[in-house]
Amino acid sequence: SQQGEEDPQALSIQEGENATMNCSYKTSINNLQWYRQNSGRGLVHLILIRSNEREKHSGRLRVTLDTSKKSSSLLITASRAADTASYFCATALRITAGNKLTFGGGTRVLVKP
Amino acid sequence: ETGVTQTPRHLVMGMTNKKSLKCEQHLGHNAMYWYKQSAKKPLELMFVYSLEERVENNSVPSRFSPECPNSSHLFLHLHTLQPEDSALYLCASSQDWDRGNTGELFFGEGSRLTVL
């Protein structure tokens, strides 16, 4: 299986609710990043968390990283219809030279008004 | 607006055609990337250029030929493609290639390619 795997694959929530998605990976990382992709568009970087960090916040986003479990979570609080998108985690592997990111399959989030 | 512009946004081509995808970044970055995004598959890294030198080629078929004439422009030349090559092709850039502990990517909007 692939380096980064998101869970769940799809998520449907009501506006105002929180959305949580998880990412698991297999090998040691330098950092883990989360990206958002609106349908048919490019990816937009949301947040980067380094291997020596445990939690980061950016606006309504909260990312945690547990290197012992090789997992990360992305929490979107007070979701809005505009948060409807696919969310991807990407890992920068410690063993890989250069700025090579490995992307997971993504979580599709639908926020219903 | 991410500072990375891709053209065309949509392209339909026959299997015998030759076409090119273009990417331009206005961020002063030193590294540029081509990714392929197919339905129900994770993003696949195709090529990486750092300071106009190709530093990564992920076993991509020769019918895809990249070109990086300068640090701001990246092309993907397409020749004799197959229907399974239909996908969204994404260009990205980052400040550097060598920094292993950072590495935010800035993506363009993508070129949706359909091969008939």
Side-chain angles (χ1 to χ4, degrees):
Chain A
S1 58
Q2 57 212 18
Q3 164 68 353
E5 294 191 15
E6 286 92 341
D7 172 60
Q9 291 189 345
L11 182 61
S12 180
I13 57 175
Q14 292 295 136
E15 203 165 26
E17 294 180 341
N18 295 343
T20 300
M21 60 211 84
N22 304 295
C23 172
S24 60
Y25 58 92
K26 297 185 182 302
T27 56
S28 296
I29 60 171
N30 280 328
N31 67 67
L32 185 145
Q33 304 178 32
W34 285 91
Y35 288 79
R36 184 188 74 228
Q37 184 181 34
N38 288 13
S39 181
R41 308 291 293 273
L43 279 73
V44 176
H45 182 266
L46 295 177
I47 200 163
L48 180 153
I49 186 164
R50 293 184 170 80
S51 59
N52 61 353
E53 298 175 314
R54 292 296 167 259
E55 187 171 315
K56 284 191 82 169
H57 296 255
S58 176
R60 294 183 295 112
L61 305 180
R62 172 176 167 255
V63 168
T64 61
L65 179 65
D66 187 334
T67 53
S68 67
K69 295 181 179 179
K70 291 186 170 60
S71 68
S72 173
S73 67
L74 171 66
L75 168 67
I76 305 172
T77 60
S79 63
R80 305 167 181 169
D83 295 328
T84 294
S86 291
Y87 292 81
F88 297 88
C89 70
T91 49
L93 303 182
R94 190 176 297 278
I95 61 171
T96 304
N99 191 23
K100 186 173 180 178
L101 294 181
T102 302
F103 285 81
T107 294
R108 295 187 311 279
V109 175
L110 173 63
V111 181
K112 293 179 283 188
Chain B
E1 178 60 50
T2 62
V4 180
T5 303
Q6 289 187 244
T7 55
R9 291 292 312 278
H10 300 273
L11 178 63
V12 179
M13 59 186 290
M15 293 168 60
T16 58
N17 291 158
K18 289 184 180 180
K19 297 286 184 183
S20 296
L21 307 181
K22 178 183 176 181
C23 177
E24 183 175 0
Q25 58 99 357
H26 310 275
L27 302 168
H29 288 169
N30 293 320
M32 296 188 75
Y33 308 71
W34 280 116
Y35 279 88
K36 177 183 178 182
Q37 186 177 35
S38 306
K40 300 183 180 179
K41 292 178 70 175
L43 263 74
E44 302 171 67
L45 178 62
M46 300 175 72
F47 302 104
V48 183
Y49 278 81
S50 175
L51 297 171
E52 300 150 45
E53 177 184 348
R54 191 189 309 181
V55 294
E56 189 82 11
N57 178 348
N58 269 5
S59 303
V60 179
S62 60
R63 58 185 183 269
F64 295 91
S65 174
E67 178 189 2
C68 187
N70 55 62
S71 59
S72 299
H73 293 85
L74 184 65
F75 294 88
L76 187 63
H77 303 300
L78 316 171
H79 175 52
T80 322
L81 295 191
Q82 305 298 313
E84 58 265 30
D85 296 323
S86 298
L88 182 67
Y89 288 85
L90 292 162
C91 174
S93 70
S94 69
Q95 184 63 57
D96 293 296
W97 166 249
D98 293 331
R99 292 186 183 178
N101 204 32
T102 54
E104 173 185 352
L105 295 181
F106 293 77
F107 283 86
E109 295 286 24
S111 293
R112 172 69 63 186
L113 173 66
T114 302
V115 182
L116 301 176

